[in-house]
Amino acid sequence: MYDEIICFTNLLRAYYQTRRCKRFHPNFQKIELNYEDILVKLHWKLKNHLYYPKPYTKFTVFEPKKRQVAAPNCFDRVVHHAILNIIEPLFQKQFISHSYACQKNKGPFLLRSDLAKIYQNLSQKHRQFYALKCDIKSYFANINHQILLQLLQPTISCPETITLLATIINSYHETPGVGIPIGNLTSQLFANLYLHPLDMFTTKHIGEKNYFRYMDDFLVLSPDKEYLLHLRALMRGFINYYLKIDYHPQKNNIFRADFGVDFAGYLFKPTSVTMRKRTVRRFKKRHKRRVKLLKKLLNQNQPQLAKTLQLKLVASKNSLRGFLKDTNYQVTERKLLKINGIVMPKEL
């Protein structure tokens, strides 16, 4: 497995994945001049077990909420892609069908479809039903390195690969032995894997069918409120004991679901599914900011940066189209999209 990860063909493929939508950026333009030589050196370091990640670049983002991001070096990201190209399919086979985050052929669109079917089925059968909705407190910052490595080992039998993964995991911590960086590509797989035991406990051991998870947010629907109270306590005991994490103190609620459920960017109601207003406002704000910046770059005659931004705008529009598929929206007299009462810019 390790030889597959570090082979030059896989590293080259990983480099192309890393530069996607960024190749017109000045930093990548400089790398393009000698990226093959850099990849040869990277291969040599990996082959001789001399690779170690460079220091992270830390910055704060405020959307969708305030959090600190630790971004890896460009060629550390190449290593992450190279690793995921080989090991990610092995883990994706194991994940339950109702775990949706950061997986190929899954994501919020499939979650919307699956959850809407079960939600509408419950609303037809029960006049009143409930939801248990929980979030893990500071999830990425509280992932235990030792437990994570124990979860990786049953699937990855190659000692060299485990050593490489341990090097990446131990290159960052919030407190000694705890925490993984939000900016790492590998962190998405690790975070999905870390809660996989909870998925198995809830769906296989307890037998809950109406359980949905999107990264560290999970939802259970049931007509029995007492059952959800008992389930919340069982799940909390499991994650406390086995995974050394806990619920967010304000985000582990049981409430009437027949009035509506807000989950993974959508608002589910008995007669409709729409994008939640907060998601729409955030998208509209980001789109306007990017359009304004694009005009500025074109006026300043910076075509390379403008090209990168245009690619992001196209990706955003495609993402919006995906969100709008099978959800409720209107078209105004001026032929503008109106989503959950919010009118979108004419460019969309």
Side-chain angles (χ1 to χ4, degrees):
M1 177 182 285
Y2 190 72
D3 289 339
E4 290 181 79
I5 291 171
I6 71 169
C7 77
F8 189 82
T9 304
N10 188 41
L11 290 176
L12 183 61
R13 176 189 171 196
Y15 172 73
Y16 291 148
Q17 291 169 320
T18 302
R19 78 174 188 184
R20 187 179 298 153
C21 294
K22 300 173 185 173
R23 63 181 303 182
F24 297 104
H25 194 279
N27 290 340
F28 269 87
Q29 290 286 299
K30 294 175 184 177
I31 292 170
E32 285 281 292
L33 296 173
N34 62 340
Y35 73 89
E36 290 178 333
D37 292 338
I38 298 173
L39 289 178
V40 168
K41 291 177 183 176
L42 181 61
H43 169 75
W44 182 85
K45 284 184 179 180
L46 289 164
K47 185 177 180 180
N48 292 280
H49 307 288
L50 297 173
Y51 167 78
Y52 192 82
K54 292 185 178 180
Y56 292 89
T57 301
K58 295 183 180 180
F59 56 93
T60 303
V61 296
F62 297 91
E63 293 182 4
K65 61 182 179 181
K66 184 179 178 180
R67 62 176 70 182
Q68 188 181 65
V69 176
N73 174 270
C74 167
F75 283 92
D76 289 330
R77 199 168 178 84
V78 171
V79 175
H80 300 167
H81 272 295
I83 291 169
L84 293 182
N85 288 342
I86 305 304
I87 73 169
E88 191 171 35
L90 303 177
F91 289 100
Q92 194 158 353
K93 292 176 185 176
Q94 301 174 18
F95 294 148
I96 64 168
S97 59
H98 282 186
S99 171
Y100 297 89
C102 303
Q103 296 178 59
K104 290 179 181 177
N105 303 318
K106 284 199 172 183
F109 307 148
L110 182 61
L111 184 150
R112 185 218 61 80
S113 177
D114 292 349
L115 179 52
K117 289 175 186 176
I118 290 176
Y119 183 91
Q120 288 168 7
N121 186 41
L122 279 169
S123 68
Q124 290 168 5
K125 291 182 178 180
H126 304 278
R127 184 182 62 84
Q128 190 171 304
F129 62 101
Y130 300 88
L132 164 63
K133 184 182 175 186
C134 297
D135 184 312
I136 303 299
K137 180 184 177 182
S138 302
Y139 181 49
F140 282 76
N142 284 312
I143 289 178
N144 184 284
H145 293 181
Q146 186 177 355
I147 295 172
L148 177 57
L149 285 167
Q150 289 172 356
L151 293 172
L152 287 163
Q153 286 168 354
T155 303
I156 300 174
S157 57
C158 172
E160 290 178 300
T161 302
I162 287 292
T163 301
L164 176 60
L165 294 175
T167 298
I168 293 170
I169 291 167
N170 293 326
S171 68
Y172 178 93
H173 61 261
E174 294 283 341
T175 57
V178 178
I180 60 174
I182 293 175
N184 270 13
L185 250 164
T186 50
S187 294
Q188 298 173 0
L189 174 63
F190 294 159
N192 263 333
L193 176 64
Y194 201 78
L195 278 178
H196 179 62
L198 175 66
D199 298 343
M200 300 302 290
F201 173 74
T202 307
T203 59
K204 304 298 181 184
H205 181 73
I206 296 176
E208 178 54 56
K209 295 180 179 179
N210 298 337
Y211 167 86
F212 299 84
R213 179 168 71 85
Y214 195 88
M215 197 53 79
D216 64 317
D217 296 322
F218 51 89
L219 177 78
V220 183
L221 299 175
S222 173
D224 188 342
K225 185 177 180 179
E226 293 301 316
Y227 162 73
L228 290 180
L229 287 166
H230 180 60
L231 180 62
R232 178 171 64 178
L234 285 175
M235 294 171 76
R236 185 174 203 164
F238 183 89
I239 62 174
N240 284 173
Y241 185 79
Y242 289 102
L243 302 176
K244 311 301 181 189
I245 52 178
D246 200 0
Y247 295 151
H248 190 290
Q250 281 85 45
K251 298 178 182 178
N252 61 102
N253 304 311
I254 295 171
F255 54 90
R256 285 274 298 271
D258 50 290
F259 292 142
V261 171
D262 181 342
F263 191 67
Y266 290 101
L267 180 61
F268 297 84
K269 290 188 175 182
T271 57
S272 66
V273 179
T274 60
M275 290 174 67
R276 65 183 177 194
K277 287 190 175 183
R278 188 169 61 196
T279 305
V280 179
R281 288 194 186 101
R282 189 166 62 244
F283 181 92
K284 182 178 180 179
K285 182 180 177 182
R286 185 176 66 233
H287 180 80
K288 281 187 171 181
R289 188 169 62 240
R290 285 178 173 175
V291 169
K292 184 177 179 181
L293 179 58
L294 178 61
K295 290 177 181 177
K296 183 179 177 181
L297 291 173
L298 291 172
N299 289 335
Q300 292 176 351
N301 195 25
Q302 297 188 47
Q304 293 179 341
L305 289 175
K307 183 69 174 179
T308 300
L309 195 56
Q310 284 174 333
L311 292 172
K312 288 183 178 180
L313 282 167
V314 170
S316 293
K317 289 179 182 179
N318 290 337
S319 179
L320 180 65
R321 290 191 187 102
F323 268 104
L324 292 179
K325 187 179 179 182
D326 301 323
T327 61
N328 292 63
Y329 64 93
Q330 297 84 39
V331 179
T332 68
E333 293 180 359
R334 296 173 59 196
K335 296 185 179 180
L336 299 176
L337 286 175
K338 189 176 183 181
I339 308 168
N340 209 349
I342 300 171
V343 179
M344 303 301 285
K346 62 181 180 180
E347 297 92 349
L348 297 169

